């Protein structure tokens, strides 16, 4: 019964949007246009972190937040199908 109560609270709670960590920087419109003429990828830029451990932390955190979102979505779909 406790699990069902917790599940109900999770389903009714407003979803929180998390910022995802991305490897590539978000390009501008003009950078995107310039990439049409950059066949060797010299314009690629990457996001950096102050240390390797911070980069690892951010990447693992982002992965687990994505997993949590997937589980939450699956539970929501299951809840809608069941009732």
């Amino acid at each position: 019964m406790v699990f069902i109560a917790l599940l109900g609270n999770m389903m009714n709670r407003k979803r929180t949007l998390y910022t995802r960590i991305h490897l590539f920087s978000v390009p501008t419109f003009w950078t995107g246009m310039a990439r049409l003429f950059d066949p060797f990828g010299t314009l690629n830029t990457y996001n950096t972190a102050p240390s390797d451990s911070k980069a690892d932390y951010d990447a693992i955190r982002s992965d687990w937040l994505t997993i949590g979102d997937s589980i939450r979505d699956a539970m929501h779909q299951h809840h809608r199908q069941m009732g």
Side-chain angles (χ1 to χ4, degrees):
M1 288 301 196
V2 172
F3 176 75
I4 294 172
L6 289 174
L7 178 62
N9 287 339
M10 288 173 57
M11 302 310 279
N12 295 327
R13 187 175 58 192
K14 191 174 187 178
R15 286 191 65 170
T16 304
L17 297 176
Y18 296 104
T19 302
R20 298 291 184 240
I21 305 301
H22 299 286
L23 178 61
F24 293 99
S25 299
V26 178
T28 64
F29 172 78
W30 294 112
T31 304
M33 293 296 290
R35 285 182 182 202
L36 292 171
F37 304 103
D38 182 32
F40 301 107
T42 58
L43 296 177
N44 288 345
T45 57
Y46 300 94
N47 289 329
T48 59
S51 68
D52 289 344
S53 60
K54 174 68 172 145
D56 288 343
Y57 170 81
D58 289 342
I60 291 170
R61 181 176 185 272
S62 177
D63 291 346
W64 279 109
L65 291 173
T66 302
I67 291 168
D69 286 345
S70 295
I71 292 170
R72 193 177 304 107
D73 290 342
M75 290 171 56
H76 182 67
Q77 284 181 349
H78 178 72
H79 181 69
R80 280 189 300 171
Q81 290 174 354
M82 298 305 290

